[in-house]
Amino acid sequence: MRWSMILIFVAIVIGGLTFMAFSVDEVVSDITLGLDLQGGFEILYRVIPIDEDQEITQDLLNDTYTALYRRVDAMGVSEPDLRVEGEDRIRVRLAGVHDPEEARRFLSTEARLSFRNTDDERLFGGEHLKEGSARAVFDEFNQPVVTVEFKDPELIGQVSAEYLGDIIVIWLDFDEKTDSFAEESLKEDPKYLSAPVVRQPFSTGASITGMPSYEAAQELASLLNAGALPVQLEELTARSVSPTLGERAMDLTVRAGMIGGALIALYMLLYYRLPGLVAALALFFYVYLVLVIFNWMDAVLTLPGIAALVLGIGMAVDANIITNERIKEEIRSGKTIMSSFRAGSKRSLRTIMDANITTIIAAGVLFYFGDFAIQGFALMLIVSIVLSLVTAVLGSRLLLGLLVASRAFDKQPRWFGVKESEISEL
Amino acid sequence: MNFNFDPESNRYQFVKHRYKYFLLSGLLIGLGLLIIAIMGINLGVDFESGSTLEIMIQDQAFTSEEVEAVLADLGLEPGSIRLIGNNNEIAEVRFIGTLDQEQITQVRQAFAEHFGQVDINESTVSPMVARELARQAVYGILLASVAVIIYVAIRFEYRFGVAAIIALFHDALFIVALFALLRLEVDLTFIAAVLTIVGYSINDTIVIFDRLRENMKFAKLKTVEDLEQLVNRSIVENLPRTLNTSITVVFAALALYLLGGEGIRNFSLALLVGLLAGTYSSIFIAAQLWFEWKKRELKKKLFHPQNA
């Protein structure tokens, strides 16, 4: 019996498990969780033209993207995820946003500011605003107002001088077809922002009064600074997960995964004995490696990602089972443990490769042709399969090889789940 | 417990009874298609645009009547209300037609007034997107199938590839039928479940075919009986592996189903059914399909030995 092999085996296992135990917290806490697991808000917009003349081009899409990005930035969301999909779609994912309704309103308003007379004729608009000049302040009556400055004060002064003593209505997102001052002014809560009487021509800037709260004033100021959207946005899908529910889903899923994993490990240990122990250890390594690689790839772990992980566990266990069954067959045919291990490993490798390559091909095709949601799943699946191959083929083989090479288990077929009575005489 | 099956024994006649298995699967597939056809019309909520709200209150249970009453106050009539969670603390409310932002705010406020602190998950799917996602997945699976058949044709024989793909569609159909029957939402989770089963089913079948191919090298196929014995033997030799792999993966899926929370329940249910269908099809259907096809080739050779 060669104790050195057993020692190497024990050293690898204890070293590996210790390393994993100490670093797993860090690895896990670094992983970006998807909305379904940490809460947040996801919305898929279709970009539609503001009027008939507008065509949705790549440039326009990019402008919209930039405008949305500035808005998300103004909301102070960390690590927002925005992407253009297809020809006319933009997906926005905001993790950890607690008030989805507010975020939605903030994102999708076009923020087209316009100054109009009481007959709804447009005098001038947001294009004349000095960039980044909108501010939320309190006026002399301690009321929240938004102040804006104009790029060309002279022009604005001239136009507004015509309306001295009259009203200039300030609108946000005026709809030519449906909105009118005459109608809205009768309402208790009119749609326009404010309708101040012009006491003196607007020279450098204007104040928008009538803000219901300082927060509302701040929101409008950020919107104006972020700029108007060049298009209209139509919501195609929206999903919001409350952080509490997301966290709950995460906790439950992790606990379920651990119990499932423990059951698998126990079953493998009871059924396959020594190779089962190795398989269980390989399984730990596999899950750890997947998390490290997901982390390294900056992948976002979502429920479908967990699906890919589960399938990967299945594949890793399957590879171990295929090998162990082969080894058992060889032992039963009367070979020594050493040559059974060698033959079993060799003959099972081709099977495992064929099965896994077939699945990788399927996943690769899905990745190539699928949209981003399917792509994410396919990519994780490929990573899972490759890692399951690494741990189940290389890892298990190394560990089991050490145990077999120690010769401690020669003539001990029971350790491999084979009864002496099953072994046929050569 | 130990799965030891003697490949020499005549007790396991997986090929002999193949028509019974084909008939059973045919009936189940027919039933599945029927369910899809009939329930598909009633699906409504899934393919018309709709909103789903998941409302959770702290440490309290809902009753459907309470939920309905709160919504009725707002003038909202839900398409369905389902209570989930271990103690019915989560109400899943579905609306036909989408709710707008204002309505969702109102719902949030109304529930907060009645129940104190509430958490709400919201999802709105437009019919266009749901259909697109499903279509993408179907195209993806079809293309992946073609690629798999090509690979298997190069490595093995095209018949293996085609038989594996038929088994795959067999397994996937059960999930689709299940979702139609239980009226579960076709969303990303569903797509992920189907794709997972696609991966599992191919893997599961190819391993048996691999053994079949290996055994074929040593076999002298002179009669149909030889071929039958070969297929039987290959299935039997692989049984311990098939059963053990299925049992372990079912452990994982079952744990996720029972303990994984609501978000993952549909997914793990689909996974469970897909795994069982996959195990069944790889033992009783896939190799038998190949046998049926190969038999024809063998018979041709037998009747025209000069061409062989």
Side-chain angles (χ1 to χ4, degrees):
Chain A
M1 180 156 155
R2 294 157 65 187
W3 281 101
S4 58
M5 294 296 162
I6 302 265
L7 277 176
I8 297 174
F9 173 84
V10 171
I12 292 178
V13 169
I14 292 186
L17 289 179
T18 315
F19 179 76
M20 285 182 352
F22 279 104
S23 58
V24 72
D25 266 352
E26 196 184 331
V27 172
V28 168
S29 63
D30 271 1
I31 285 181
T32 320
L33 298 176
L35 293 175
D36 40 9
L37 297 177
Q38 72 154 321
F41 171 61
E42 172 180 327
I43 198 158
L44 179 64
Y45 288 117
R46 191 158 76 99
V47 171
I48 43 179
I50 290 178
D51 51 45
E52 292 96 31
D53 305 332
Q54 201 180 29
E55 241 182 273
I56 304 297
T57 60
Q58 201 58 43
D59 280 346
L60 191 61
L61 213 52
N62 287 341
D63 290 345
T64 312
Y65 177 91
T66 314
L68 281 175
Y69 207 95
R70 278 204 301 262
R71 285 185 186 188
V72 172
D73 216 32
M75 278 189 271
V77 175
S78 61
E79 296 186 44
D81 178 9
L82 280 83
R83 58 183 92 202
V84 174
E85 282 178 27
E87 283 168 7
D88 59 353
R89 290 177 191 187
I90 297 178
R91 189 181 295 269
V92 181
R93 294 166 137 185
L94 307 175
V97 165
H98 293 255
D99 191 345
E101 279 105 54
E102 190 188 299
R104 254 163 131 167
R105 201 178 57 232
F106 197 74
L107 279 175
S108 60
T109 172
E110 290 156 44
R112 281 179 295 116
L113 195 67
S114 60
F115 295 78
R116 291 168 191 268
N117 63 20
T118 47
D119 298 326
D120 301 326
E121 282 165 37
R122 191 171 185 277
L123 305 175
F124 45 87
E127 70 276 8
H128 288 288
L129 295 186
K130 201 189 266 181
E131 270 167 40
S133 69
R135 258 174 203 74
V137 292
F138 288 101
D139 65 5
E140 61 264 40
F141 310 108
N142 213 25
Q143 291 299 309
V145 297
V146 175
T147 62
V148 293
E149 286 170 40
F150 297 107
K151 278 188 241 173
D152 186 354
E154 256 174 65
L155 177 83
I156 303 298
Q158 269 174 21
V159 178
S160 58
E162 288 174 37
Y163 288 89
L164 216 54
D166 207 344
I167 292 172
I168 288 189
V169 193
I170 307 175
W171 289 86
L172 194 67
D173 294 344
F174 182 84
D175 188 329
E176 304 278 350
K177 291 180 202 109
T178 55
D179 290 342
S180 83
F181 173 72
E183 241 173 67
E184 292 293 325
S185 60
L186 301 175
K187 291 185 187 166
E188 203 174 301
D189 181 21
K191 201 198 145 196
Y192 51 78
L193 293 171
S194 59
V197 176
V198 182
R199 307 269 176 223
Q200 55 187 17
F202 300 166
S203 52
T204 53
S207 312
I208 303 168
T209 55
M211 288 291 128
S213 68
Y214 185 67
E215 285 72 36
Q218 271 180 321
E219 189 183 305
L220 179 62
S222 335
L223 268 177
L224 294 178
N225 286 335
L229 280 185
V231 291
Q232 277 184 302
L233 296 178
E234 181 196 6
E235 264 183 31
L236 289 180
T237 63
R239 203 155 67 99
S240 79
V241 176
S242 94
T244 322
L245 283 174
E247 203 177 295
R248 193 181 122 97
M250 180 69 197
D251 289 347
L252 287 173
T253 309
V254 167
R255 203 186 60 180
M258 272 158 47
I259 291 174
L263 281 175
I264 292 177
L266 190 68
Y267 183 84
M268 292 297 283
L269 190 65
L270 290 178
Y271 194 94
Y272 289 110
R273 314 288 170 85
L274 201 59
L277 170 73
V278 168
L281 289 170
L283 197 61
F284 281 122
F285 285 122
Y286 163 75
V287 174
Y288 179 80
L289 269 185
V290 169
L291 293 178
V292 170
I293 299 287
F294 276 12
N295 205 358
W296 174 70
M297 291 189 348
D298 271 333
V300 178
L301 191 63
T302 57
L303 289 178
I306 290 179
L309 188 75
V310 171
L311 184 57
I313 290 179
M315 299 262 193
V317 173
D318 186 46
N320 277 295
I321 288 176
I322 291 171
T323 312
N324 297 343
E325 284 296 336
R326 276 289 191 182
I327 295 175
K328 279 169 84 168
E329 274 174 47
E330 303 289 341
I331 296 176
R332 280 196 206 109
S333 75
K335 286 186 188 159
T336 64
I337 299 288
M338 178 66 94
S339 56
S340 294
F341 167 71
R342 287 211 185 112
S345 301
K346 205 178 123 208
R347 297 176 79 181
S348 60
L349 182 64
R350 214 182 42 196
T351 309
I352 296 169
M353 290 310 284
D354 270 330
N356 283 292
I357 289 173
T358 319
T359 314
I360 288 181
I361 289 177
V365 171
L366 285 174
F367 182 79
Y368 194 76
F369 292 101
D371 81 342
F372 98 105
I374 294 174
Q375 271 184 348
F377 174 82
L379 186 65
M380 295 218 181
L381 189 54
I382 293 172
V383 171
S384 301
I385 296 172
V386 171
L387 290 177
S388 79
L389 275 176
V390 171
T391 55
V393 175
L394 292 180
S396 293
R397 218 143 280 196
L398 172 76
L399 291 177
L400 196 56
L402 285 168
L403 292 177
V404 170
S406 79
R407 307 216 158 258
F409 305 97
D410 282 5
K411 312 217 191 301
Q412 303 280 346
R414 283 178 173 279
W415 282 92
F416 291 82
V418 179
K419 291 188 195 122
E420 269 91 357
S421 59
E422 292 168 2
I423 300 173
S424 55
E425 297 298 324
L426 266 179
Chain B
M1 180 173 58
N2 217 334
F3 300 121
N4 288 332
F5 307 95
D6 181 7
E8 311 295 339
S9 157
N10 288 328
R11 281 174 56 206
Y12 318 103
Q13 291 294 340
F14 289 110
V15 179
K16 194 174 160 192
H17 301 293
R18 64 189 178 283
Y19 291 119
K20 289 179 196 158
Y21 312 138
F22 290 160
L23 186 68
L24 177 65
S25 282
L27 284 176
L28 285 172
I29 287 173
L31 189 68
L33 288 174
L34 202 68
I35 288 171
I36 294 168
I38 295 171
M39 304 292 283
I41 300 164
N42 285 334
L43 271 176
V45 189
D46 287 341
F47 282 103
E48 273 165 35
S49 49
S51 291
T52 305
L53 294 184
E54 247 178 60
I55 305 162
M56 182 174 91
I57 36 177
Q58 297 286 313
D59 310 317
Q60 255 180 292
F62 282 116
T63 65
S64 295
E65 291 73 34
E66 284 174 332
V67 175
E68 216 163 331
V70 174
L71 292 171
D73 282 347
L74 300 171
L76 294 173
E77 200 188 323
S80 73
I81 298 176
R82 215 158 60 97
L83 296 178
I84 48 182
N86 297 332
N87 308 309
N88 288 347
E89 72 275 25
I90 297 176
E92 188 192 76
V93 189
R94 292 171 79 167
F95 298 90
I96 300 165
T98 53
L99 296 184
D100 61 28
Q101 296 165 34
E102 216 167 293
Q103 286 173 312
I104 290 166
T105 312
Q106 286 173 354
V107 170
R108 189 184 293 274
Q109 283 165 353
F111 274 93
E113 267 168 40
H114 281 81
F115 300 102
Q117 204 197 328
V118 286
D119 284 291
I120 294 189
N121 284 352
E122 178 226 333
S123 65
T124 303
V125 178
S126 80
M128 189 169 74
V129 174
R131 269 187 227 125
E132 241 173 61
L133 199 61
R135 202 183 55 205
Q136 277 237 353
V138 169
Y139 281 159
I141 292 171
L142 287 176
L143 282 167
S145 302
V146 173
V148 166
I149 291 177
I150 292 171
Y151 174 76
V152 175
I154 295 168
R155 286 283 291 151
F156 301 58
E157 181 192 56
Y158 71 99
R159 290 187 188 90
F160 282 121
V162 175
I165 297 305
I166 294 176
L168 153 69
F169 280 104
H170 171 275
D171 304 343
L173 187 93
F174 281 110
I175 310 179
V176 179
L178 177 83
F179 267 57
L181 183 66
L182 300 180
R183 313 194 70 194
L184 300 174
E185 202 177 335
V186 172
D187 58 4
L188 191 56
T189 325
F190 170 78
I191 308 280
V194 174
L195 296 181
T196 308
I197 289 309
V198 167
Y200 177 81
S201 175
I202 291 179
N203 195 63
D204 206 28
T205 312
I206 291 295
V207 173
I208 292 183
F209 285 171
D210 213 69
R211 180 61 70 108
L212 198 48
R213 179 183 61 170
E214 192 186 307
N215 287 341
M216 227 155 60
K217 281 188 203 152
F218 306 106
K220 293 186 186 71
L221 297 177
K222 289 207 182 102
T223 62
V224 174
E225 284 68 40
D226 290 345
L227 188 68
E228 182 173 333
Q229 213 186 356
L230 171 81
V231 174
N232 253 334
R233 187 190 175 88
S234 305
I235 295 175
V236 173
E237 282 176 353
N238 243 314
L239 265 187
R241 171 264 167 185
T242 308
L243 295 177
N244 278 338
T245 297
S246 302
I247 287 171
T248 46
V249 185
V250 163
F251 278 158
L254 205 59
L256 285 179
Y257 179 70
L258 294 176
L259 308 164
E262 296 70 33
I264 208 161
R265 192 149 290 167
N266 285 359
F267 167 77
S268 30
L269 179 67
L271 212 56
L272 264 176
V273 171
L275 288 174
L276 295 177
T279 308
Y280 167 79
S281 73
S282 64
I283 298 176
F284 296 100
I285 300 293
Q288 284 82 342
L289 283 173
W290 179 84
F291 169 81
E292 201 59 40
W293 199 347
K294 192 75 179 173
K295 191 179 82 180
R296 262 150 237 223
E297 189 202 49
L298 193 67
K299 273 186 179 163
K300 261 188 219 159
K301 274 190 193 162
L302 290 176
F303 288 117
H304 309 281
Q306 67 276 18
N307 297 340

